[in-house]
Amino acid sequence: MAVGKEEVEEIVKARTDKREYRRIVLPNSLEVLLISDPDTDKCAASMDVSVGAFSDPDGLEGLAHFLEHMLFYASEKYPLEDSYSKYIIEHGGRTNAYTSSEHTNYYFDINADAFEEALDRFAQFFINPLMSADATMREIKAVDSENQKNLLSDGWRMNQLQKHLSAADHPYHKFSTGNWDTLEVRPKAKGLDTRSELIKFYEEYYSANVMHLVIYGKENLDKIQGLVEDKFKEIRNIDRNCLRFAGEPCTSEHLQILVRAVPIKEGHALRVVWPITPEIHHYKEGPCRYLSHLIGHEGEGSLYSILKTLGWATGLSAGEGDSSLDFSFFRVDIVLTDAGHEHMQDIIGLLFKYISLLQQSGICKWIFDELSAVCETKFHYQDKIQPINYVVSISPNMQKYPPKDWLVRSSLPSNFSTDIIQMVLNKLSPNNVRFYQAKYPVLLRKSPYSTLWHKPDTMFFTPKAYVKIVFTCPHASDSPEAEVLTNIFTQLLMDYLNEFAYYAEVAGLNYGISATECGFQVILVGYNHKLRILLETIVEKITSFEVKADRFSVIKEMVTKEYQNYKFQQPYEQAMYYCSLILQDHTWPWMEELDVLPHLEVEDLAKFVPMMLSRAFLECYTAGNLERNEAESMIQHIEDALFRGSNPICQPLFPSQHLTNRVLKLEKGKSYFYPVEGLNPSDENSALIHYIQVHRDDFMLNVKLQLFALIAKQPAFHQLRTVEQLGYITALLQRNDCGIRGAQFIIQSTVKDPANIDLRAEEFLKVFESKLYEMTNEEFKSNVNALIDMKLEKHKNLREEASFYWREISDGTLKFDRIESEIAALRQLTQQELIDFFNEHIKVGAPHKRTLSVRVYGNSHSSEYKIDKSSPAQASSVKIDDIFSFRRSQPLYGSFKGNHVKL
C-alpha cells in the first residue's frame, strides 16, 4: 500500500477546533492519525497495539503487562537503559503506558524542539527492542511492586473481583497485572524461561498492521508525515489478525448473585452490574448514553434525589464499563451513607422500581433529541486538553470506529431507535444482575464472674464465628511451679479433647487451649453451626478434670523438652526474651520453671487444678456470625457451669485479685544495659536489642513514633546490614508493651560483639538526624501518605480483626477507633513536630531519652563478654547485674486495665 493520504470521508472535528488532521497508512500497514497544531507548546505521540492481557498464555498471567514494562528499557539503536525516559524528562516531557484487556498503549509528550529525536527513540521500541536478560528480573519485581500497590486500591480490587466471578474459560476471568508468582515462581516450576516467553509473545503479536499511531506536532501536516514515514516505516508487519474473544464472560451461574466485599478505605458503596450488548455496535443510537442520562439523573424526581432526601446516598453514577467488541457491562454505582448501608435492600428495590418506571414510560424521542442537542453543543465547544491526554484518548479507538468518527467516537448520538434502546433496557432486569457492596466491639454484659465483649460482623459475611474466653486465675501464676502446672493442665485438656474435637476440625471448626500470663484461654474459630456444642464440651472437661497418670507423664516429657529447647533459640530471640523479662512485671524466668519440672508429679497437678480454679474471672470476646443473645446465652451457660450449683468449682475474684499488666518505667536520661552469655555455647552468633522507651499510649505520640520508624526502617537496614554487614538479621521496629510504646533495633551478628553493635546503632541515629532535617516537604508528605495507606488496609479475616480488638481489651486501652484517630492525628502532623519528637525521645544524648540494651554474647565474643561484664558503667549508663533486683527497684507505669466502660 502506498504511503499517503487515504481517500476517506473527512474526519469530523469540533467547529472551534483549528487543528489540522490527516489519516495515512504506511507501507507496513501502520495506520496513523496526524495532528498539526502550530499553537502547541508540547508535542505528543501515542501508539496503541491491539493486543492485551486477554492474550496472556495460560500460566503466564501478566505477560502482556510485563512486555509493556520491558519495551521502555532500551533498544538496539539506543542501548543505554532508561535513556529514553531520561531524554523525555530532560526535555520537559512525560512518558507512560498501560495494558488493558485487548490493548497496550504507549505514549509521551515533550517540548517541541526535542520531538524528532524523542520520536525516533520511541519508534525503536517497536522495531528492535532489547529486552535484556539483566533487566528481566528487575522489571518482574517492578510489576510485582505495582501489583502490591494495587492490593491497597479499592478500584483495582473491585475490578479483579468482578473478573474473578466470571466464567473460568473466558479470558475476562484472567489476572491481568501479573506478579512475582505468575511471572517467576510458576513459570520456573514448569521449566519455562519468562524472558524467552516474552520475546516469543512480542514476535507473535506485535505487528504494524494491528498498531494505531497518533502524532500531535507543531509543524504542518506534510512535515509531520515525513517524520512519521522516516521513523516508523521499519516496524515489521506479519499480517497479524486482531484477536476476537467471543462469548459472554458471565453465564447464568454468575448472575442473580450478591457479592459483599471489604473495602480498604472507610465508607460504603453499592455496585449493580448487568451484562449487555456493547454500545460500540450502536454508537450512533447511543442506548447506554440514553439510559445513563436517566438513571444517573440528579434532578427533582430522580432516583438519586429520592436516595439523597432519605439520607441514604451521597453520590450515584450510571453507564457502560468494561466494554469490548464482544461483551460489555452496564453499571450503577451508589455511594452510601451509614444509614444507606443499613437499607441496602431498600435501595436496590428503589433502583428496580425506577427501571420499571422507565419500562412503563417507554422510550421517549424528546428525551433523546434533548440529549443529542446537549451532546452536540458539548462536542463542538469543548475545551482543548493537553496533547498527551488527547492522543491517548484517540489511539485506542482507531480500531473500533471508522476514521471519520475517530474524534467523535460515541459522543454524538444522532439516530433515534426505540428498538435498540429498548433492547438494552430489557437487559437491566433482576434476572440478569449482580450486586457488589462493602463497628466496634460493645460490652454486652458485666457480672462478678465475667465480662462479655461482642463484635457483630460488618465485614466478612461468612457463616463463621470467633469466641475467646480468657480465664484469669491468680493462683495460676503465683509461682514458677504454678505456671508450669498451668501449662501442663492446658496441654492435657487438649490431649483429652483430641478425638472428639478432631471431627470438628475436619468440619472447619478449630479450637485451642493455652496458658496465659495469669491463667489460661480457650479460643474457637470457624463455622458457627456447631460451635456451641464444642464450647460446652470443653467447659465440661474443665469442670470434671481428672489427671490421668499415663497421659501426665507423656505431656510432662513434652513440656520438659519445650523448656529445654529454649536454650537453642536464636540469640536475637533470647535477647527479646530478656528484654521482656526486664520490662514486664509479674513474669517468671523459664530457667526457674525448668528447675521445678522434674519434681512435679500427678498428685501435684491433681491438687493444683482445684486450687487454680477456686478463684476465677472470665474475659470473653465473641464476633462473627453470632447474634448478641446467642453470645450472652453461651457465656451464661459457662457461668452456670463454673460458678453456680450446689458445689461450684469457682468463686469470683476478690477486688484485690484482679491482675494488671504493668511495665517498668525507665528513668529519663539513663541508658541501661544487660550483658549476658548466650544459652547455647555452640552458637557463634551474638545479638543486641537496643530499646528506646518513649511514651504511654497517645494517638499523636503514636503516629510520631510510627512515622519515625517508617522513615528510618530502610536506611537502618541499608546502613547496618548492607553497608556495614553487621548481620543478616537487622531490623528497626516499633515495640508495644501493654500500651507502653517504644522503638527497638534488633541485630544478630558474628562479625561484631553486642557492645560494638550498640555503638553502631547509635551512630546510625546520629547520621539519620541530618537526613531528617534534609527531608523535603514532598518526601515528608509522601511518608505520611504511605503510613495512612498502611493503616487503611483492612483486616483480611475474622481472626485478624479479633486480634486487633482483643489487643485493645487485653491492654485495657479500649481505643477501638484507633485507626481513624491515628489517621486524623497524622493529617495534622507537621515535619517540625516530627523533628521535635526525634530530638526529645530518639536523638543520641537527648536529656530525656531512655534506653535499654540487652546484649547476648555468642561463643565467638566470649572475651568481649568478660570485658563488658566487668567494666564499670560510664556516666548516665547503668549496668543491670540482676534482673529481678533491678525490676524490684524501678517504678512502674500505671495500667490501663480497670477503665470504666459502659454496657
Side-chain angles (χ1 to χ4, degrees):
M1 184 179 295
V3 178
K5 306 172 188 177
E6 281 289 299
E7 295 299 323
V8 298
E9 295 180 63
E10 185 179 355
I11 295 173
V12 177
K13 67 177 185 177
R15 297 185 190 117
T16 56
D17 188 353
K18 306 304 182 186
R19 292 166 291 203
E20 292 185 330
Y21 298 85
R22 179 183 295 170
R23 172 187 180 260
I24 65 170
V25 180
L26 301 189
N28 58 2
S29 296
L30 175 65
E31 195 169 23
V32 187
L33 175 64
L34 310 177
I35 305 172
S36 173
D37 181 2
D39 297 326
T40 190
D41 296 316
K42 291 280 177 69
C43 297
S46 173
M47 175 72 87
D48 189 84
V49 187
S50 296
V51 63
F54 277 8
S55 299
D56 285 344
D58 290 339
L60 275 165
E61 288 80 7
L63 192 66
H65 179 219
F66 179 44
L67 176 57
E68 170 220 306
H69 276 242
M70 287 294 289
L71 278 192
F72 271 126
Y73 255 92
S75 62
E76 288 187 12
K77 185 173 181 181
Y78 300 98
L80 187 63
E81 284 190 1
D82 283 335
S83 62
Y84 161 75
S85 300
K86 185 172 182 291
Y87 182 84
I88 296 291
I89 293 169
E90 287 176 347
H91 292 84
R94 294 167 293 168
T95 181
N96 213 330
Y98 69 83
T99 304
S100 65
S101 298
E102 298 175 286
H103 295 265
T104 307
N105 198 286
Y106 306 82
Y107 53 94
F108 75 92
D109 70 357
I110 199 166
N111 294 337
D113 58 357
F115 187 46
E116 182 172 352
E117 182 175 337
L119 207 60
D120 189 54
R121 291 172 177 270
F122 183 70
Q124 291 303 312
F125 295 142
F126 310 100
I127 298 170
N128 285 311
L130 279 185
M131 295 188 280
S132 68
D134 290 343
T136 300
M137 193 58 66
R138 292 199 300 273
E139 213 54 34
I140 290 177
K141 290 178 181 177
V143 170
D144 185 70
S145 178
E146 182 178 347
N147 182 62
Q148 291 294 323
K149 166 191 70 75
N150 295 344
L151 295 177
L152 299 179
S153 163
D154 286 322
W156 279 98
R157 294 167 76 245
M158 293 304 103
N159 181 52
Q160 189 57 45
L161 180 59
Q162 163 88 353
K163 292 181 174 186
H164 180 71
L165 297 171
S166 63
D169 59 352
H170 194 283
Y172 184 74
H173 182 81
K174 290 182 176 180
F175 169 49
S176 59
T177 309
N179 59 20
W180 181 259
D181 190 47
T182 65
L183 293 172
E184 171 64 16
V185 178
R186 294 185 193 176
K188 185 175 288 185
K190 294 180 179 178
L192 296 176
D193 177 70
T194 303
R195 180 172 176 266
S196 298
E197 296 298 320
L198 184 77
I199 294 170
K200 187 190 302 182
F201 185 91
Y202 175 83
E203 291 176 346
E204 182 176 356
Y205 291 110
Y206 272 52
S207 174
N209 73 303
V210 293
M211 296 181 181
H212 296 85
L213 178 65
V214 181
I215 299 293
Y216 194 111
K218 192 178 181 69
E219 306 291 343
N220 62 48
L221 288 175
D222 289 337
K223 286 188 176 180
I224 297 173
Q225 178 170 335
L227 189 64
V228 169
E229 292 169 357
D230 178 55
K231 304 300 182 187
F232 293 89
K233 63 187 177 184
E234 293 182 20
I235 298 178
R236 69 196 180 100
N237 176 20
I238 58 172
D239 288 324
R240 178 78 202 186
N241 292 326
C242 284
L243 297 176
R244 295 288 296 270
F245 302 91
E248 289 285 343
C250 293
T251 61
S252 58
E253 67 180 291
H254 305 107
L255 301 175
Q256 291 186 293
I257 61 172
L258 171 65
V259 181
R260 295 183 186 270
V262 182
I264 297 294
K265 295 183 178 179
E266 289 296 319
H268 310 287
L270 172 65
R271 174 174 293 175
V272 186
V273 181
W274 296 267
I276 60 167
T277 302
E279 187 176 68
I280 183 66
H281 299 300
H282 309 287
Y283 70 96
K284 291 294 186 184
E285 291 75 17
C288 290
R289 185 173 289 270
Y290 177 95
L291 293 172
S292 65
H293 171 68
L294 294 176
I295 297 174
H297 208 284
E298 298 185 10
E300 184 179 356
S302 66
L303 173 62
Y304 176 65
S305 178
I306 295 169
L307 296 177
K308 185 179 177 183
T309 302
L310 290 168
W312 291 351
T314 58
L316 186 151
S317 61
E320 186 181 33
D322 268 354
S323 63
S324 77
L325 291 172
D326 298 289
F327 67 87
S328 185
F329 296 95
F330 191 90
R331 220 166 76 183
V332 176
D333 287 304
I334 306 174
V335 181
L336 304 177
T337 62
D338 289 346
H341 180 249
E342 299 298 321
H343 291 85
M344 184 183 67
Q345 291 181 326
D346 299 312
I347 293 171
I348 293 172
L350 285 171
L351 171 60
F352 279 108
K353 283 184 180 178
Y354 188 79
I355 291 171
S356 177
L357 179 64
L358 295 181
Q359 291 278 14
Q360 295 167 20
S361 302
I363 310 302
C364 300
K365 188 175 189 300
W366 71 267
I367 294 177
F368 180 88
D369 290 343
E370 185 180 80
L371 176 63
S372 179
V374 169
C375 288
E376 185 173 9
T377 301
K378 186 176 180 181
F379 173 76
H380 284 293
Y381 298 99
Q382 61 185 292
D383 293 331
K384 287 177 74 173
I385 60 175
Q386 293 181 352
I388 191 171
N389 296 332
Y390 194 51
V391 296
V392 172
S393 71
I394 297 171
S395 61
N397 295 293
M398 291 168 68
Q399 179 203 349
K400 300 178 183 177
Y401 296 90
K404 70 182 182 68
D405 288 331
W406 278 349
L407 307 183
V408 173
R409 301 187 295 280
S410 62
S411 62
L412 287 181
S414 55
N415 300 339
F416 176 67
S417 170
T418 300
D419 292 342
I420 289 175
I421 298 174
Q422 187 67 50
M423 173 188 69
V424 177
L425 179 58
N426 290 341
K427 294 278 189 179
L428 310 188
S429 73
N431 299 325
N432 195 42
V433 72
R434 50 161 60 178
F435 310 99
Y436 293 82
Q437 233 273 339
K439 127 161 194 183
Y440 300 130
V442 293
L443 185 60
L444 283 187
R445 69 197 298 265
K446 187 176 184 180
S447 75
Y449 315 108
S450 70
T451 55
L452 170 59
W453 293 89
H454 179 64
K455 168 65 172 65
D457 184 7
T458 57
M459 290 184 67
F460 306 109
F461 304 102
T462 61
K464 294 182 179 180
Y466 180 97
V467 173
K468 182 168 189 168
I469 303 168
V470 175
F471 290 72
T472 298
C473 305
H475 295 304
S477 57
D478 59 11
S479 68
E481 290 96 338
E483 282 208 347
V484 174
L485 288 168
T486 303
N487 190 358
I488 295 174
F489 162 73
T490 59
Q491 300 214 36
L492 272 174
L493 268 180
M494 292 281 287
D495 186 69
Y496 295 168
L497 286 161
N498 184 64
E499 291 182 3
F500 173 82
Y502 172 77
Y503 293 102
E505 291 184 5
V506 170
L509 179 57
N510 298 292
Y511 82 106
I513 306 171
S514 59
T516 64
E517 290 181 353
C518 51
F520 65 98
Q521 65 183 14
V522 176
I523 298 176
L524 298 92
V525 61
Y527 297 112
N528 59 280
H529 181 52
K530 298 292 180 68
L531 184 146
R532 179 163 183 165
I533 295 173
L534 179 57
L535 178 59
E536 291 180 358
T537 303
I538 293 171
V539 172
E540 191 277 327
K541 285 290 185 185
I542 293 172
T543 59
S544 61
F545 182 81
E546 291 182 1
V547 185
K548 299 175 183 176
D550 58 335
R551 300 311 300 164
F552 174 85
S553 62
V554 172
I555 297 300
K556 178 184 172 182
E557 178 185 325
M558 182 174 70
V559 170
T560 302
K561 290 176 181 176
E562 289 174 0
Y563 279 101
Q564 290 171 335
N565 283 331
Y566 284 173
K567 64 186 176 187
F568 298 110
Q569 287 182 320
Q570 291 280 327
Y572 82 91
E573 294 174 313
Q574 297 174 33
M576 292 174 70
Y577 162 76
Y578 287 123
C579 192
S580 296
L581 195 63
I582 292 170
L583 291 174
Q584 295 177 7
D585 188 37
H586 201 73
T587 52
W588 303 106
W590 71 268
M591 298 80 85
E592 293 181 2
E593 294 177 346
L594 179 59
D595 286 342
V596 303
L597 247 170
H599 310 293
L600 297 177
E601 301 297 341
V602 171
E603 295 76 18
D604 297 306
L605 185 61
K607 292 176 184 177
F608 171 76
V609 172
M611 182 182 71
M612 177 187 68
L613 294 174
S614 64
R615 294 282 174 183
F617 184 80
L618 278 55
E619 282 189 290
C620 311
Y621 178 90
T622 60
N625 195 34
L626 279 177
E627 296 294 332
R628 56 187 297 167
N629 59 346
E630 188 178 0
E632 289 183 283
S633 175
M634 284 195 303
I635 303 309
Q636 184 65 57
H637 172 83
I638 297 172
E639 283 191 5
D640 291 342
L642 295 174
F643 295 96
R644 298 186 178 90
S646 58
N647 188 25
I649 66 170
C650 296
Q651 294 291 327
L653 298 184
F654 291 114
S656 61
Q657 287 183 299
H658 285 270
L659 301 176
T660 56
N661 299 320
R662 302 186 67 184
V663 176
L664 260 68
K665 188 174 186 178
L666 301 178
E667 187 176 343
K668 291 180 179 178
K670 291 289 181 68
S671 296
Y672 302 89
F673 67 98
Y674 176 64
V676 63
E677 285 186 294
L679 296 169
N680 181 5
S682 302
D683 199 329
E684 300 289 317
N685 287 281
S686 295
L688 169 77
I689 299 293
H690 180 92
Y691 167 66
I692 305 170
Q693 193 175 73
V694 180
H695 66 279
R696 193 170 184 262
D697 191 56
D698 173 90
F699 289 140
M700 183 55 80
L701 287 172
N702 290 352
V703 299
K704 290 176 182 178
L705 176 64
Q706 292 161 9
L707 192 58
F708 156 72
L710 177 69
I711 296 170
K713 181 179 180 179
Q714 194 280 329
F717 181 87
H718 175 73
Q719 178 62 34
L720 299 175
R721 177 181 163 179
T722 307
V723 176
E724 300 187 25
Q725 294 283 297
L726 292 181
Y728 179 77
I729 296 173
T730 303
L732 171 58
L733 304 171
Q734 301 169 61
R735 184 182 175 110
N736 180 10
D737 297 274
C738 305
I740 309 304
R741 306 288 181 126
Q744 60 183 0
F745 289 88
I746 303 173
I747 304 172
Q748 183 165 297
S749 176
T750 56
V751 298
K752 286 193 180 293
D753 66 272
N756 261 306
I757 299 173
D758 218 349
L759 295 175
R760 300 316 306 158
E762 293 205 330
E763 187 61 31
F764 164 76
L765 290 176
K766 292 177 184 177
V767 175
F768 176 78
E769 181 182 354
S770 62
K771 293 184 178 179
L772 203 57
Y773 279 95
E774 294 165 3
M775 183 169 55
T776 66
N777 187 50
E778 289 71 23
E779 289 172 328
F780 174 77
K781 289 180 179 178
S782 177
N783 282 299
V784 168
N785 290 332
L787 185 53
I788 289 173
D789 288 342
M790 291 165 64
K791 288 183 176 294
L792 288 173
E793 185 174 353
K794 294 293 185 181
H795 300 124
K796 303 298 187 296
N797 52 59
L798 194 57
R799 189 189 292 267
E800 191 175 296
E801 180 196 71
S803 178
F804 172 82
Y805 287 124
W806 179 256
R807 181 69 185 265
E808 299 292 335
I809 295 168
S810 178
D811 287 350
T813 45
L814 302 178
K815 294 175 180 175
F816 300 130
D817 63 343
R818 179 174 300 278
I819 293 173
E820 296 89 339
S821 299
E822 290 187 348
I823 287 175
L826 264 174
R827 295 192 194 282
Q828 298 173 16
L829 183 64
T830 66
Q831 186 170 349
Q832 187 58 51
E833 287 174 323
L834 178 64
I835 292 171
D836 293 343
F837 169 84
F838 178 87
N839 288 338
E840 181 177 358
H841 298 285
I842 310 294
K843 180 178 178 177
V844 176
H848 291 160
K849 185 176 180 181
R850 297 171 291 176
T851 62
L852 167 65
S853 294
V854 177
R855 304 169 179 175
V856 175
Y857 285 80
N859 183 46
S860 60
H861 299 120
S862 56
S863 59
E864 288 90 342
Y865 167 69
K866 293 173 184 176
I867 295 172
D868 200 13
K869 184 73 173 173
S870 60
S871 297
Q874 298 177 355
S876 301
S877 185
V878 178
K879 181 167 61 178
I880 301 172
D881 293 310
D882 178 75
I883 288 177
F884 306 102
S885 298
F886 173 74
R887 212 164 70 174
R888 286 190 290 267
S889 69
Q890 298 301 305
L892 301 172
Y893 277 101
S895 173
F896 288 97
K897 278 285 198 178
N899 287 350
H900 180 69
V901 184
K902 292 183 179 180
L903 291 171

